[in-house]
Amino acid sequence: MENLITWGFYFMTFYAFIPGLLSRVFGYRVFKKGDVTRELALTFDDGPDPIYTEQLLDLLKKYDAKATFFVVGVHAKQYPELLRRMKQEGHTIGVHNYEHKTNWLMRPKTVKKHIQLTNDIIEEVTGERSIYYRPPWGIMNLFDYRNVSKLHIVLWSSLFGDWSAKLTAEKLTKRMLKKVAPGEVLLLHDCGRTLGADVDAPRNMLIALEAYLKAATDKGLKMVTIPELIALSEGKQQQQQQQQQRSIGKRVLIKLWLGWETIFHKMMKLKPVHIHVEDDPMLHYRLIKYKGNELELHKDEKLNEGDLIAELHFDNKRLSEIAFTSKNPLVVAVKTIREVEKALPKLAVMLAAEKQAKDIKAIHGITMINRGADKLGFSIHELPDGFFKRSTEIYLHILMKVLTPPQKKELISKHKAAQKQTAEEPRILLMSTNYLYKHFQQHL
């Protein structure tokens, strides 16, 4: 009898307790928290629920928040229309077993079957199989790592006991508001129809969640799906690794360059265009009189010498971050234009608030990164031949060489091929303020 108990103890230790310790405490082969600056993930287990999941989706839509739903197969089979809506509204759907049973009490073959059955339902409804899995109660067994070798195991950084109706909305709100921070993976429940939960507990969760969403939005935080949070975390880690790869000489050079840029911004009295207060701006501007040849704007408008313009400048710190985490200049161009697109609504508001707002004819910038700028409404013009064009070209080539990472030998040919797809010479980007206000001011 003693031998039987001893062997049972050893079995449970290796089959259940050690895997649980590795995953829950040490994070072995699981994702628990993001390494990001302004994003967090909301995750919901046990649904979908015919009453509360629909209310939850309405609330997420109100705050433009994306989430990840780990669904129980039997519930998903009952309410496929809710899975369909999750997919349509940009949320991610993950697997939470076919029934809400712990993996400790199931054979490896049974766990595998639970995952497959649930994924079959997800695929039938959405057209895609999920690659994200959360075991009930976050409990793993020894064979789960093999069963889910092709899946991302997702746990959490914060849970609150919201499955119990005894936890009031007020108490739950207080607990949740302590976790309004980047990188958090919050575990909540949109269904109380599982063992140990209360059917109406999600009612309190929804009240607390609205307070949380408001607080997170006010802080400038963005609620994203698990795949987005994983991608952003990996991108930041890659950036940190690449930063470490920079030579000491290059790091010193970049530091000096960015230090000079700070002085230049103060001398020129450039104004930063902050999308969020806590983020570095992508653009800066100053109001000056245009000097140069007549240029075409939109709808027969023309820019003439002496007209007031907002002269745009990239923030080279942000440009450095983009360049050093991009594989080639083409990717740099795409990412940069996307950042500019995000900044234009804020720029429109700032220009409209200037004392000389009615006199500002256009926004104007000179850059080598102009691929795709026409899609935003910029007209692209060549610089007139002369000393200014040659000196600008040299400056911008040196700048990109300093900011971008060294290319490995095997990537040089690809690097050169990508360069051919991007502009090799600086160009003038021009947009009338009338066009800017009409197409971007209302998007803030």
Side-chain angles (χ1 to χ4, degrees):
M1 185 67 178
E2 288 183 9
N3 286 338
L4 185 62
I5 294 172
T6 301
W7 279 108
F9 174 77
Y10 286 149
F11 174 78
M12 287 305 295
T13 297
F14 286 100
Y15 184 74
F17 300 137
I18 289 180
L21 187 69
L22 288 172
S23 60
R24 292 285 293 274
V25 178
F26 298 104
Y28 174 69
R29 287 190 56 190
V30 303
F31 181 77
K32 295 173 60 178
K33 191 171 185 178
D35 182 11
V36 290
T37 54
R38 55 179 295 265
E39 294 82 15
L40 60 90
L42 301 171
T43 68
F44 299 92
D45 286 7
D46 299 356
D49 182 271
I51 299 173
Y52 295 112
T53 301
E54 191 162 359
Q55 294 178 34
L56 171 58
L57 289 168
D58 290 341
L59 182 59
L60 294 173
K61 190 173 184 180
K62 177 181 175 181
Y63 285 89
D64 192 26
K66 303 304 178 188
T68 303
F69 291 84
F70 291 96
V71 299
V72 173
V74 290
H75 297 164
K77 189 175 183 179
Q78 285 179 291
Y79 308 106
E81 69 281 359
L82 291 173
L83 264 67
R84 209 169 286 118
R85 183 179 170 187
M86 291 172 192
K87 171 72 174 175
Q88 289 170 350
E89 295 184 3
H91 305 293
T92 293
I93 302 172
V95 175
H96 197 48
N97 282 359
Y98 186 73
E99 296 176 13
H100 199 273
K101 293 181 178 179
T102 174
N103 292 13
W104 281 2
L105 301 180
M106 292 192 290
R107 294 179 300 162
K109 187 177 179 180
T110 307
V111 173
K112 188 175 182 179
K113 185 178 179 181
H114 269 248
I115 294 169
Q116 288 178 340
L117 284 172
T118 307
N119 231 336
D120 288 345
I121 295 166
I122 294 171
E123 184 179 23
E124 184 180 350
V125 175
T126 68
E128 294 180 1
R129 295 186 77 78
S130 179
I131 60 169
Y132 301 97
Y133 175 62
R134 175 177 285 163
W137 295 287
I139 293 173
M140 307 283 291
N141 69 49
L142 183 61
F143 298 95
D144 282 344
Y145 297 113
R146 186 187 66 184
N147 280 335
V148 299
S149 59
K150 295 181 180 179
L151 301 179
H152 290 280
I153 304 170
V154 181
L155 297 186
W156 57 84
S157 61
S158 300
L159 78 164
F160 310 96
D162 66 310
W163 55 82
S164 172
K166 293 178 181 178
L167 182 63
T168 65
E170 184 181 2
K171 288 182 179 179
L172 179 57
T173 300
K174 287 181 180 179
R175 289 185 186 181
M176 289 178 62
L177 290 180
K178 293 177 182 178
K179 297 295 182 178
V180 184
E184 288 288 344
V185 177
L186 274 63
L187 168 57
L188 297 165
H189 299 79
D190 59 324
C191 178
R193 296 182 296 123
T194 55
L195 181 65
D198 294 321
V199 173
D200 290 324
R203 182 186 294 123
N204 290 338
M205 182 276 292
L206 289 170
I207 295 170
L209 179 61
E210 179 147 27
Y212 184 91
L213 288 169
K214 186 177 186 308
T217 302
D218 289 345
K219 272 192 171 185
L221 297 174
K222 184 179 180 183
M223 280 58 73
V224 300
T225 62
I226 285 295
E228 289 177 283
L229 193 64
I230 291 174
L232 288 166
S233 298
E234 290 176 348
K236 186 173 180 181
Q237 290 167 5
Q238 180 186 10
Q239 180 183 341
Q240 290 169 345
Q241 291 170 358
Q242 289 174 330
Q243 290 281 6
Q244 293 170 359
Q245 293 172 4
R246 284 176 165 165
S247 67
I248 294 175
K250 192 162 189 176
R251 276 182 282 176
V252 170
L253 185 57
I254 291 172
K255 193 169 183 178
L256 290 172
W257 197 298
L258 297 180
W260 157 247
E261 185 179 65
T262 302
I263 296 171
F264 175 80
H265 285 183
K266 291 180 179 178
M267 288 171 55
M268 298 293 108
K269 298 181 179 179
L270 297 182
K271 298 181 180 181
V273 183
H274 285 286
I275 303 173
H276 300 285
V277 177
E278 68 278 8
D279 292 342
D280 290 323
M282 185 68 210
L283 294 175
H284 303 259
Y285 77 90
R286 63 171 178 163
L287 300 182
I288 62 168
K289 295 291 182 70
Y290 172 67
K291 294 179 182 180
N293 300 329
E294 180 182 274
L295 295 174
E296 293 284 342
L297 289 170
H298 302 88
K299 292 186 178 179
D300 300 324
E301 290 184 278
K302 297 183 186 296
L303 181 66
N304 297 298
E305 188 164 356
D307 286 339
L308 188 65
I309 61 171
E311 183 184 74
L312 302 181
H313 294 263
F314 282 135
D315 185 277
N316 285 334
K317 182 180 178 184
R318 286 287 295 116
L319 194 57
S320 173
E321 293 169 355
I322 291 171
F324 215 80
T325 54
S326 301
K327 295 179 180 178
N328 57 55
L330 180 59
V331 178
V332 174
V334 171
K335 288 183 178 180
T336 302
I337 291 299
R338 285 177 181 168
E339 289 292 310
V340 170
E341 183 178 14
K342 292 177 186 177
L344 288 177
K346 181 63 176 181
L347 176 64
V349 171
M350 292 179 70
L351 293 183
E354 291 278 357
K355 291 181 180 179
Q356 299 170 276
K358 62 183 179 62
D359 298 320
I360 305 171
K361 192 74 173 287
I363 57 176
H364 174 285
I366 298 174
T367 178
M368 291 172 63
I369 304 174
N370 51 67
R371 184 180 179 86
D374 56 328
K375 302 284 195 305
L376 300 182
F378 284 100
S379 55
I380 303 174
H381 306 267
E382 289 191 10
L383 279 169
D385 288 330
F387 174 76
F388 180 74
K389 178 180 179 179
R390 289 194 296 274
S391 60
T392 301
E393 187 172 357
I394 292 170
Y395 168 79
L396 292 177
H397 271 293
I398 293 173
L399 177 64
M400 291 305 294
K401 190 175 180 64
V402 169
L403 296 181
T404 51
Q407 296 290 323
K408 296 179 180 179
K409 288 182 179 179
E410 63 270 22
L411 296 179
I412 289 177
S413 59
K414 292 182 181 179
H415 173 80
K416 288 180 177 178
Q419 279 185 323
K420 290 179 181 179
Q421 300 177 55
T422 58
E424 288 292 333
E425 297 181 355
R427 297 284 191 271
I428 298 171
L429 300 186
L430 203 60
M431 181 189 293
S432 73
T433 46
N434 288 334
Y435 186 94
L436 177 71
Y437 297 150
K438 181 179 179 181
H439 290 84
F440 291 98
Q441 193 171 8
Q442 71 274 25
H443 294 159
L444 189 66

